[in-house]
Amino acid sequence: MFDYLIVGAGFSGSVLAERIASQLDKKVLIVDKRNHIGGNAYDFYDENGILVHKYGPHIFHTNSKKVIDYLSQFTEWRPYFHKVLAIVEGKKVPIPFNLNSIYKLFPEKYANKLEEELIKTFGYGQKVPILKLKETSNLELKFLADYIYDNVFYGYTLKQWELKPEELDPSVTARVPVYISRDNRYFQDTYQLMPKDGYTRMFERMLSHKNIKIMLKTDYKEIIDVIKFDKLIFTGPIDEFFNYQFGQLPYRSLVFDFQTLNFENYQEVGQVNYPNNNSFTRITEFKYLTGQKSLTTSIAYEYPIKYEINSNLIPYYPIPQKENNELYLKYLSESKKLKKVIFCGRLADYKYYNMDQIVARALTVFEKEVII
């Protein structure tokens, strides 16, 4: 007999399992279809001893001391400031697009003019979504906005989402704004860290409580009628839980090509984006993320693809569009009718969460929906 059955051993399920087990002294069974814990944050050592992220780069950053304090119970950290370059007209420029990017691409005199206009219009240190920048009436900034849109946003967004930037919720393009600064870091959060021993080790410590049992390579539907439990926490796709009764919520998936190369380093930074002319969107070099030293290096090419039900693909990203949110709200309404089921997570909430947001959400669910 378990007090809670939790479906999914990613961030949401693991945080909730740990809280319930350690704070309420209740018994938890956590079930996952995959053969490992950690969800999409799972990492492992490849044949050359490089710690790689199986489901693409996971860079931890947050402004929340509460989230950091919670996770610090299960890991030590190493500082890591993620830097990203993009290939634009054959040149590597910092992303998010900033003042340094302008000087890389334009003659100095014209770059001076663009910098002056940006600071005068928006202010130094401001982050301006590209769609907002495109609304400007200033002719110089209008040119710059169109240039950035065409060379940085349009091709990448089309590959990532199979949609134009303006067809997505504005929050998507706002995640990578034009940054009126010379700060080349991809994030500016207070805490920018990586788990010292990797994400998987952090999850192992999180789930190593005597009240937690784990079943991997198991579909919860196979055991739900034979396992006795009081309440269910579901972190998978909410439309799948309800057997797609209102239709399928769309997701984007990813395919990775991992390669080991006989170089000490392949690229100058951990991530290089390819907005144009390639079917892949980016190349990640994992040694930058882990801080490891080696004569070889491990990289991953990343190819976005449409998610299909009953395929081997994994649903990574909910697609933020008005019609998709309206469909999700139908499922949300159904979920409210269930007194002994709690939904939490990127797939269950159909939200484009960062890792710290998922942890914060799970902690809030524990405090407001579990402790009652």
Side-chain angles (χ1 to χ4, degrees):
M1 176 67 189
F2 293 93
D3 297 293
Y4 283 84
L5 170 62
I6 297 180
V7 179
F11 266 110
S12 299
S14 297
V15 169
L16 282 163
E18 187 280 327
R19 290 288 82 186
I20 291 166
S22 68
Q23 302 303 299
L24 303 182
D25 194 28
K26 294 193 173 182
K27 297 188 183 300
V28 178
L29 174 64
I30 188 165
V31 175
D32 201 292
K33 287 182 180 179
R34 290 185 256 192
N35 64 354
H36 59 74
I37 59 174
N40 290 349
Y42 171 75
D43 52 19
F44 67 98
Y45 290 92
D46 67 13
E47 65 275 10
N48 288 291
I50 305 298
L51 186 63
V52 301
H53 297 185
K54 183 172 182 176
Y55 304 100
H58 282 69
I59 317 299
F60 198 86
H61 57 99
T62 187
N63 289 315
S64 171
K65 188 174 185 300
K66 179 179 179 179
V67 167
I68 281 291
D69 287 347
Y70 172 73
L71 292 177
S72 294
Q73 298 176 85
F74 315 108
T75 185
E76 295 180 53
W77 302 94
R78 62 175 292 269
Y80 173 68
F81 298 106
H82 194 48
K83 292 186 178 179
V84 178
L85 298 174
I87 308 299
V88 178
E89 295 191 322
K91 298 176 181 177
K92 293 179 180 177
V93 305
I95 295 295
F97 200 95
N98 62 21
L99 298 179
N100 294 328
S101 310
I102 291 173
Y103 281 87
K104 287 268 189 182
L105 291 165
F106 300 108
E108 185 175 357
K109 187 175 179 180
Y110 190 54
N112 282 333
K113 176 67 173 171
L114 292 171
E115 177 180 6
E116 180 184 313
E117 293 294 335
L118 281 169
I119 294 172
K120 184 170 68 175
T121 303
F122 298 104
Y124 187 84
Q126 295 301 306
K127 296 181 176 180
V128 186
I130 184 60
L131 297 181
K132 180 179 178 182
L133 188 61
K134 278 176 67 67
E135 294 171 356
T136 182
S137 57
N138 181 300
L139 292 179
E140 302 288 358
L141 296 186
K142 176 66 175 167
F143 163 79
L144 179 63
D146 289 342
Y147 180 92
I148 297 171
Y149 178 90
D150 292 340
N151 289 281
V152 178
F153 281 89
Y154 182 80
Y156 195 96
T157 305
L158 208 58
K159 285 190 284 187
Q160 182 73 16
W161 300 99
E162 284 192 343
L163 294 166
K164 298 175 184 176
E166 50 269 73
E167 293 176 323
L168 287 161
D169 188 278
S171 63
V172 177
T173 48
R175 290 171 69 93
V176 189
V178 177
Y179 189 23
I180 307 173
S181 167
R182 292 190 177 275
D183 184 350
N184 284 342
R185 296 176 303 166
Y186 194 76
F187 306 108
Q188 281 71 47
D189 299 69
T190 303
Y191 306 98
Q192 300 185 50
L193 307 158
M194 295 293 283
K196 187 176 178 181
D197 301 317
Y199 287 101
T200 300
R201 188 71 187 101
M202 180 178 73
F203 279 100
E204 287 172 350
R205 293 174 182 138
M206 193 183 298
L207 296 175
S208 65
H209 196 279
K210 63 181 176 62
N211 287 342
I212 298 175
K213 304 297 180 187
I214 302 169
M215 291 181 68
L216 300 176
K217 297 191 287 187
T218 303
D219 188 329
Y220 81 99
K221 294 175 185 175
E222 297 170 358
I223 57 97
I224 196 166
D225 292 329
V226 294
I227 297 291
K228 292 182 178 180
F229 61 93
D230 187 39
K231 290 186 178 180
L232 173 69
I233 295 176
F234 189 79
T235 73
I238 191 170
D239 54 339
E240 177 187 311
F241 182 88
F242 289 104
N243 295 313
Y244 310 104
Q245 69 182 77
F246 302 118
Q248 180 188 355
L249 284 165
Y251 298 89
R252 294 293 287 170
S253 188
L254 298 169
V255 173
F256 297 94
D257 176 15
F258 288 89
Q259 298 184 15
T260 297
L261 305 174
N262 289 316
F263 302 118
E264 191 164 353
N265 285 107
Y266 178 70
Q267 53 195 31
E268 302 95 312
V269 293
Q271 180 181 320
V272 177
N273 289 0
Y274 293 78
N276 310 297
N277 305 327
N278 301 95
S279 56
F280 55 89
T281 51
R282 59 184 178 178
I283 299 175
T284 299
E285 186 168 1
F286 293 100
K287 280 166 59 176
Y288 285 99
L289 282 58
T290 64
Q292 291 174 275
K293 304 296 182 185
S294 172
L295 294 178
T296 63
T297 194
S298 298
I299 65 172
Y301 289 78
E302 190 167 317
Y303 298 85
I305 190 172
K306 180 182 178 181
Y307 172 70
E308 301 282 358
I309 298 175
N310 298 323
S311 69
N312 292 324
L313 298 171
I314 293 166
Y316 280 87
Y317 302 113
I319 301 176
Q321 287 184 299
K322 182 182 178 182
E323 58 267 35
N324 298 341
N325 189 56
E326 289 172 352
L327 178 55
Y328 162 71
L329 290 176
K330 292 181 180 180
Y331 286 113
L332 179 62
S333 178
E334 285 298 302
S335 73
K336 300 296 185 186
K337 300 173 185 177
L338 303 176
K339 301 304 180 186
K340 291 199 170 188
V341 184
I342 295 172
F343 293 83
C344 179
R346 177 183 277 197
L347 303 179
D349 296 340
Y350 202 69
K351 296 285 189 304
Y352 191 7
Y353 290 133
N354 290 330
M355 286 183 287
D356 65 317
Q357 294 171 322
I358 296 172
V359 174
R361 162 79 171 137
L363 292 174
T364 299
V365 167
F366 174 72
E367 292 162 4
K368 296 187 175 180
E369 298 185 44
V370 175
I371 303 176
I372 51 174

